[in-house]
Amino acid sequence: MFCRIRWIVAVGLVAGAVVWSRPACAQIMVPEGGAEQEEPAEEPAAPPKAGANGVLVTEQQRIADQFKHLEEVLLRMAEVSAGADPRRAALLRQAVAQSKQRLIGVQFETLISLLNKDQLSRAVENQDQVDQDLRGLLELLLSEDRSRRIESEKARLREYLKRVEGLLKQQKSLQGRTTGGEDLKKLAKPQGELAQQAGGLAETIKSNEEKDKSRGEKSDKKAAAEAKQSKGAGDAKESKQSGEGKESKESKESRDSKGPEKSGAPQGKAESPSPQEEQPSSAQKQPENPTQQRLEAAEKRMREAQEKLEQAQREGAAEKQEEAIRELEQAKAALEQILRQLREEEIGRTLTLLEARCRKMLQMQREVYEGTVRLDKVPEAERSHSQDIEAGRLSSKESEIVLEADKALTLMRDDGTAVAFLEAAGQMREDMQQVVERLAQSKVDRMTQGIEEDILAALEDMIGALVKAQKDLEDKKQQQPSMQGEMRDPPLVDLLSELKMIRALQMRVNSRTERYSKMIDGEQATATEMLEALKRLAERQERIYRVTHELGRGANR
């Protein structure tokens, strides 16, 4: 409940910044049109210009301070929710990174400078960009439930696809019976029933799409309303004033739009049909769902085929049935394309989360490694209890990295297609746990450092592969936006990336083998610690072989 309240507060701060990113200097600009020039006349006499700008500067500074506080809140929330909800934590960090990338804080400072210099026209132009960036940030924060929506949407689309495939199979069967010489009048009834099924599926799709759209709009409005309520008494008062101004403007526009309808003048007659005509035309230009269109077309062809069958026109019926089959195949292709697009969006989100988590682990691991090297530089004869305490602290820090690795493993297991990456993350996690145990025993020797170096190399390899996978995904979307390839969902990473990861795993085994060989006195290891290390290395080599074998059998699909 606490995290939910803080989440609403954060969204509320962004929403408030969006509302007030365009302060009153936008209203000082002289509007076009005589009707809109009457409203400022009702206001009291304007104070001196310097005083008006002073108010604007103060208000803009307040918004800038509020946004700076927002970034701090987002970072604190990311830390608090990292353990219980890693997806939300990654989203919050992404929001802060997006804010820094777009220089929103710098833009606020620029606005303050422009207002101080009485450059109101440039200030209004800059506020447009700030407003756009803030809205993008708000949309990002409100997209938290998108992953769950994708899963629900994919399940529904798969059900549609199953039903379309059933219709296609039945229609092909009817066509075969039609051309095969069967009594045509007996085929008319099942053809009509099949047309009814196609129409019913089209209606189901239309109904579900409308419900989803309505539900999404209500959810967004509810979230925005909750966010605004959480802003506090001062912001609530200002939001009320803004709402009244917006309401008066909307009511004025409503009166202006109703005026011509009441007048009945020729000019009104020429203007009023255009908005009425634009609504259906826009609906035609933006259909609810391409699958629905194809199913409706297939139903029409089926009805026509039914009429031909009732009239005993074999060739005409077969022709209409062939057209219905083509429409159903296009409906199937449209569903498959939407499913691929959703899968690509899902992949993009997973890759982003994995990259963020790996970068965090890399930073934490570097700190542990530097601390281990620093402790090892102290001669054993000069080491005291303080070094043991520091080693224990590093061990606890490494335990935190293990928890981060567990979360990354969960993401990969949930996806289930990145076989080599999952093995690499698993081996990396084992190395981390080994470092935890060794540091807890104050073992900061070359063996511990070597394991830490392998962890760092594994993280760097994984980050590079994830960055490349995201770039490949974007290139694929741009080059082939409507490609209709194989029906299978694409894997998280392609086969080449998986093979490169296997190669990296094998190279780390080779380098560790070489490192261990230099630590052995004589031709054979005798120390218990070294024997256990070699046994783990042999098991790791066996697992690399199994993963390679699984990839050869297509386990990543």
Side-chain angles (χ1 to χ4, degrees):
M1 181 64 183
F2 175 71
C3 290
R4 173 63 178 167
I5 292 174
R6 295 189 70 177
W7 177 257
I8 293 175
V9 170
V11 175
L13 288 171
V14 179
V18 170
V19 171
W20 293 104
S21 63
R22 299 175 59 87
C25 69
Q27 300 175 10
I28 295 179
M29 304 301 294
V30 179
E32 296 181 0
E36 295 190 3
Q37 291 178 353
E38 296 177 359
E39 290 189 11
E42 298 176 1
E43 298 178 359
K49 191 172 183 180
N53 288 352
V55 173
L56 295 178
V57 171
T58 302
E59 176 64 16
Q60 189 68 76
Q61 183 64 59
R62 187 189 68 81
I63 298 170
D65 294 340
Q66 186 182 43
F67 186 79
K68 183 178 179 181
H69 175 63
L70 165 68
E71 292 183 324
E72 296 172 355
V73 170
L74 292 177
L75 289 174
R76 287 200 298 270
M77 288 178 62
E79 294 175 359
V80 171
S81 60
D85 195 344
R87 290 180 181 272
R88 171 173 288 184
L91 180 65
L92 291 169
R93 292 192 184 96
Q94 184 181 354
V96 175
Q98 179 173 308
S99 170
K100 300 296 185 185
Q101 182 180 5
R102 297 185 178 183
L103 303 175
I104 296 179
V106 176
Q107 292 184 59
F108 277 127
E109 296 301 324
T110 302
L111 285 174
I112 294 171
S113 176
L114 291 173
L115 291 173
N116 272 321
K117 297 176 182 178
D118 289 351
Q119 298 180 9
L120 300 182
S121 179
R122 285 188 58 193
V124 171
E125 293 176 0
N126 286 16
Q127 284 164 357
D128 288 334
Q129 182 61 46
V130 175
D131 182 73
Q132 182 180 351
D133 290 341
L134 286 172
R135 291 183 186 278
L137 196 62
L138 180 60
E139 289 176 4
L140 176 62
L141 291 172
L142 292 175
S143 68
E144 184 186 13
D145 294 333
R146 180 56 181 163
S147 297
R148 287 189 285 266
R149 291 180 188 175
I150 288 177
E151 283 300 320
S152 175
E153 193 171 353
K154 285 173 65 178
R156 186 171 68 247
L157 289 171
R158 288 194 183 102
E159 179 61 27
Y160 294 161
L161 183 59
K162 182 179 178 181
R163 292 175 65 178
V164 169
E165 288 174 340
L167 292 172
L168 187 58
K169 182 179 179 180
Q170 293 181 62
Q171 185 59 74
K172 288 181 177 180
S173 175
L174 282 174
Q175 187 192 36
R177 293 165 65 185
T178 300
T179 57
E182 194 169 332
D183 187 354
L184 298 182
K185 292 188 178 181
K186 289 182 180 180
L187 296 176
K189 182 178 179 181
Q191 183 66 77
E193 292 173 351
L194 192 62
Q196 186 174 358
Q197 292 178 33
L201 180 56
E203 285 297 322
T204 299
I205 293 175
K206 180 181 180 181
S207 176
N208 287 340
E209 294 296 323
E210 290 176 350
K211 287 179 181 178
D212 283 349
K213 184 177 179 181
S214 176
R215 191 182 300 117
E217 291 175 352
K218 289 180 180 179
S219 176
D220 291 344
K221 289 179 180 179
K222 183 179 179 181
E226 290 177 349
K228 290 180 181 179
Q229 289 175 1
S230 66
K231 291 176 59 186
D235 289 345
K237 183 178 179 180
E238 293 173 358
S239 298
K240 182 178 179 181
Q241 294 173 353
S242 175
E244 290 174 354
K246 184 177 180 181
E247 183 179 0
S248 63
K249 183 179 179 181
E250 290 177 351
S251 62
K252 186 178 184 302
E253 292 176 352
S254 176
R255 289 195 302 269
D256 293 341
S257 63
K258 291 179 181 179
E261 293 179 1
K262 292 181 180 181
S263 66
Q267 184 178 358
K269 185 177 180 181
E271 293 178 354
S272 59
S274 58
Q276 296 173 359
E277 292 172 1
E278 285 176 3
Q279 292 180 357
S281 64
S282 61
Q284 292 174 2
K285 291 180 182 178
Q286 298 178 352
E288 292 82 353
N289 191 294
T291 307
Q292 176 191 336
Q293 279 190 318
R294 295 300 180 186
L295 286 170
E296 290 172 350
E299 178 191 12
K300 182 178 179 180
R301 300 296 177 264
M302 291 176 183
R303 296 293 184 189
E304 293 172 351
Q306 180 185 9
E307 293 178 1
K308 298 293 184 183
L309 290 170
E310 290 172 348
Q311 297 170 8
Q313 298 180 15
R314 191 177 301 275
E315 292 184 2
E319 183 180 348
K320 294 300 180 182
Q321 289 171 337
E322 181 63 31
E323 292 177 2
I325 289 173
R326 285 199 294 269
E327 294 292 349
L328 289 173
E329 287 175 342
Q330 292 182 25
K332 178 184 175 183
L335 286 172
E336 291 171 349
Q337 182 179 347
I338 296 172
L339 280 169
R340 278 193 297 271
Q341 291 172 348
L342 288 175
R343 172 58 181 163
E344 288 173 355
E345 181 181 349
E346 189 177 50
I347 288 174
R349 287 172 173 271
T350 303
L351 291 173
T352 301
L353 289 171
L354 284 173
E355 183 195 352
R357 195 161 298 284
C358 286
R359 290 191 183 278
K360 181 180 179 181
M361 288 190 286
L362 181 62
Q363 180 181 356
M364 297 170 70
Q365 189 64 59
R366 281 173 177 163
E367 294 174 1
V368 172
Y369 175 70
E370 291 169 0
T372 304
V373 173
R374 188 168 54 251
L375 285 177
D376 189 41
K377 289 180 179 179
V378 179
E380 290 189 14
E382 299 179 8
R383 294 179 187 177
S384 62
H385 185 60
S386 60
Q387 275 76 32
D388 293 337
I389 294 176
E390 178 63 16
R393 188 190 69 79
L394 292 175
S395 177
S396 299
K397 186 73 172 179
E398 191 71 28
S399 298
E400 296 176 9
I401 307 176
V402 172
L403 294 177
E404 295 296 324
D406 287 337
K407 296 167 187 175
L409 281 166
T410 299
L411 285 172
M412 293 183 189
R413 290 194 187 102
D414 290 345
D415 182 83
T417 61
V419 181
F421 274 66
L422 183 60
E423 177 61 28
Q427 292 186 14
M428 182 175 63
R429 197 257 185 209
E430 291 175 2
D431 287 343
M432 292 174 179
Q433 186 59 44
Q434 193 176 351
V435 170
V436 170
E437 296 169 1
R438 295 184 66 82
L439 290 175
Q441 299 170 16
S442 298
K443 295 180 178 180
V444 293
D445 54 8
R446 186 71 190 98
M447 180 176 286
T448 303
Q449 295 174 35
I451 298 173
E452 292 175 352
E453 289 169 0
D454 286 345
I455 295 171
L456 291 171
L459 286 169
E460 289 171 352
D461 288 342
M462 193 163 291
I463 290 171
L466 291 170
V467 170
K468 182 181 181 301
Q470 292 179 73
K471 184 179 182 302
D472 291 344
L473 183 63
E474 290 300 319
D475 292 343
K476 182 180 178 182
K477 289 179 181 179
Q478 294 176 5
Q479 295 174 3
Q480 298 173 335
S482 59
M483 180 186 66
Q484 296 184 8
E486 56 184 81
M487 291 174 53
R488 295 191 187 95
D489 283 345
L492 184 65
V493 293
D494 59 21
L495 181 60
L496 181 59
S497 297
E498 290 272 72
L499 292 174
K500 288 181 178 179
M501 186 58 65
I502 290 178
R503 179 177 179 273
L505 289 173
Q506 186 61 59
M507 290 179 66
R508 281 195 286 276
V509 168
N510 295 347
S511 63
R512 189 173 294 192
T513 303
E514 184 178 353
R515 187 166 64 245
Y516 287 170
S517 68
K518 296 178 180 179
M519 303 171 114
I520 298 174
D521 295 330
E523 297 183 358
Q524 191 172 1
T526 56
T528 303
E529 184 180 59
M530 182 58 68
L531 289 173
E532 291 178 354
L534 291 173
K535 181 180 178 181
R536 284 193 294 266
L537 198 58
E539 293 173 351
R540 184 162 295 187
Q541 182 67 70
E542 174 65 23
R543 284 158 57 186
I544 294 174
Y545 165 76
R546 287 202 304 266
V547 169
T548 306
H549 182 65
E550 290 175 5
L551 276 177
R553 297 172 56 189
N556 65 325
R557 297 184 178 180

